[in-house]
């Protein structure tokens, strides 16, 4: 059962940060997972009045406020134009529209949940997080940090000439994923580079960066070998949804599938 002693709707980020430093304080986010747990919260901090529910697009970046919902990612015209159906694909299996209208981007990223589709996709993209006290850092660095009492203000995705695909496997449509996978490719410093993110292992997503040229003419067995090599870079665990060996096999399949899809893109 969740119990809250005090509720505060913060007027500024500074106020929210200071309140959050107390041991038994908690940022509310979308309250989709928090409300299901057993916790006694002394001060619940609401960020909904701070204007963090907007997606800003410039020539160089998408800046996604921490209080933006997963539904906003799914329907935003600019994200769809730039990333195609990938952003919508990464969230479409997450329970239902009602849930996605409440679950927040900030909560999904800050929680570093092992089952997070959003974290898996964003990790493969050129993504940064803006922290109130810690400044702006790469998402790949953020996920390795121990959880602290800083505030996640926004998520920033830099625009670049890269192709992206997202894949996931679930036992049923709205269940937690058995495995998630995002593959991104582009030319970095003059070399073709592939970024592979695999999550729900059942640990949170991790990123592997590999250089290597793969074209439409690349043999199927070469792509399969490349995917197998990438999948072997991760550790896997066993739970009720699958064994470690099964997850590693799925990773090989999904990575290869994503690569083939990218290669056939016009």
């Amino acid at each position: 059962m969740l119990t809250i002693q005090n509720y505060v709707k913060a007027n500024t980020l500074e106020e929210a940060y200071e309140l959050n430093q107390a041991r038994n304080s908690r940022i509310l986010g979308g309250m989709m997972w928090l409300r299901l747990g057993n916790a006694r919260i002394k001060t619940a901090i609401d960020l909904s009045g701070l204007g963090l529910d907007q997606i800003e697009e410039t020539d160089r970046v998408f800046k996604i406020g921490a209080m933006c919902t997963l539904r906003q990612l799914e329907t935003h015209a600019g994200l769809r134009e730039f990333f195609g159906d990938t952003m919508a694909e990464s969230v479409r299996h997450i329970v239902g529209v009602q849930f996605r209208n409440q679950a927040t981007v900030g909560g999904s990223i800050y929680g570093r949940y092992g089952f997070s589709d959003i974290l898996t996709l964003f990790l493969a993209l050129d993504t940064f997080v803006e922290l109130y006290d810690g400044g702006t850092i790469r998402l790949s660095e953020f996920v390795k940090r121990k959880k602290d009492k800083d505030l996640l203000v926004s998520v920033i995705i830099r625009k670049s000439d890269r192709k992206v695909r997202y894949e996931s496997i679930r036992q049923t449509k709205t269940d937690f994923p058995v495995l998630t996978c995002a593959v991104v490719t582009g030319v970095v410093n003059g070399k073709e580079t592939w970024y592979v993110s695999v999550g729900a292992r059942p640990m949170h997503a991790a990123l592997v960066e590999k250089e290597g040229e793969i074209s439409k003419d690349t043999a199927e067995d070469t792509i399969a070998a490349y995917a197998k090599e990438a999948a072997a870079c991760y550790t896997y665990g066993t739970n009720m949804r699958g064994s470690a060996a099964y997850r590693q096999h799925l990773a090989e399949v999904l990575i290869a599938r994503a690569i083939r899809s990218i290669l056939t893109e016009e």
Side-chain angles (χ1 to χ4, degrees):
M1 180 177 178
L2 177 68
T3 59
I4 297 173
Q5 184 175 341
N6 301 306
Y7 163 84
V8 178
K9 186 172 183 179
N11 294 309
T12 65
L13 281 171
E14 181 180 8
E15 179 188 10
Y17 177 80
E18 292 299 330
L19 288 169
N20 196 44
Q21 299 316 296
R23 181 178 179 182
N24 292 327
S25 294
R26 193 75 66 88
I27 301 296
L28 293 182
M31 285 286 289
M32 304 312 294
W33 301 119
L34 182 62
R35 66 184 175 83
L36 300 178
N38 294 315
R40 296 178 63 86
I41 300 174
K42 184 176 181 180
T43 304
I45 306 160
D46 183 356
L47 305 181
S48 64
L50 302 181
L52 302 179
D53 59 346
Q54 301 297 314
I55 299 176
E56 302 174 24
E57 181 181 2
T58 70
D59 292 339
R60 300 182 62 185
V61 302
F62 288 99
K63 185 175 182 179
I64 304 168
M67 292 298 289
C68 284
T69 66
L70 303 189
R71 181 63 173 166
Q72 286 176 265
L73 295 183
E74 188 176 12
T75 61
H76 190 270
L79 291 173
R80 182 174 292 275
E81 181 178 356
F82 196 83
F83 296 109
D85 294 331
T86 303
M87 197 67 68
E89 173 63 26
S90 72
V91 302
R92 73 183 178 95
H93 292 297
I94 300 176
V95 186
V97 171
Q98 296 94 331
F99 186 96
R100 298 195 294 273
N101 270 326
Q102 293 179 268
T104 61
V105 173
S108 300
I109 298 298
Y110 193 85
R112 289 102 150 168
Y113 298 117
F115 54 78
S116 177
D117 296 87
I118 296 300
L119 181 59
T120 303
L121 174 59
F122 281 16
L123 195 57
L125 297 170
D126 196 2
T127 307
F128 295 76
V129 294
E130 179 189 359
L131 304 171
Y132 177 79
D133 186 57
T136 301
I137 62 172
R138 281 197 174 275
L139 178 58
S140 56
E141 177 185 342
F142 175 74
V143 297
K144 296 176 183 177
R145 288 187 173 188
K146 291 183 179 180
K147 293 184 181 180
D148 55 25
K149 304 292 282 186
D150 206 346
L151 296 183
L152 194 156
V153 179
S154 66
V155 177
I156 301 167
I157 305 175
R158 291 202 302 198
K159 292 182 175 180
S160 54
D161 187 16
R162 299 183 183 184
K163 297 178 180 179
V164 55
R165 290 294 185 277
Y166 183 81
E167 303 279 350
S168 69
I169 292 291
R170 286 168 161 81
Q171 293 177 346
T172 60
K173 283 188 176 181
T174 59
D175 193 11
F176 289 117
V178 179
L179 196 84
T180 59
C181 173
V183 175
V184 176
T185 186
V187 177
V188 179
N189 297 323
K191 296 181 179 180
E192 183 176 4
T193 305
W194 293 81
Y195 300 88
V196 180
S197 173
V198 176
R201 298 172 290 117
M203 296 147 276
H204 69 63
L207 181 67
V208 169
E209 178 180 339
K210 294 174 66 65
E211 292 182 356
E213 294 186 10
I214 304 177
S215 69
K216 293 181 180 179
D217 299 324
T218 301
E220 284 293 319
D221 57 347
T222 302
I223 295 174
Y226 189 92
K228 185 173 183 178
E229 181 182 338
C233 295
Y234 302 94
T235 57
Y236 302 86
T238 298
N239 65 4
M240 63 182 292
R241 290 181 175 81
S243 67
Y246 176 57
R247 282 188 162 94
Q248 183 163 349
H249 173 70
L250 287 181
E252 295 174 17
V253 172
L254 295 187
I255 293 168
R257 183 182 297 170
I259 290 173
R260 294 188 191 101
S261 178
I262 287 173
L263 295 177
T264 56
E265 180 179 329
E266 296 296 335

